[in-house]
Amino acid sequence: MLVLTRKVGESLKIGDDIELKILSVDGEQIKLGIDAPREIAIHRKEVYLAIEQENSAAAETSVDLLKFLKNNGEKS
C-alpha cells in the first residue's frame, strides 16, 4: 500500500484520467473530491462489496434456475 500525506487543496493523480483532491479535514473525517471519467464506477468500499455479493448471488440463482429448467425439460 502506498501511503501519501496531502494537505487541504492538494491532490494526487492516478494514471492520466483520475485526480483525487483533499477538500477538507474535520477531525477524523476527510472530504475527497474525485475527478474521473464517467465510465469508471466509483463506490464506497461497503457499497462495492454489497454489489459484488448481490451479483454473485444473482449469478448462482441463474445457474440453479438453468439446472432446474434443464432437469424438468428432460422429464417431459
Side-chain angles (χ1 to χ4, degrees), residues 25-36:
V25 178
D26 185 16
E28 292 187 14
Q29 287 192 334
I30 299 167
K31 197 175 279 189
L32 292 175
I34 304 169
D35 186 13

Side-chain angles (χ1 to χ4, degrees), residues 63-76:
V63 169
D64 292 344
L65 179 58
L66 288 172
K67 287 178 185 176
F68 174 77
L69 293 173
K70 180 181 177 190
N71 290 337
N72 285 340
E74 292 174 353
K75 293 177 184 176
S76 299

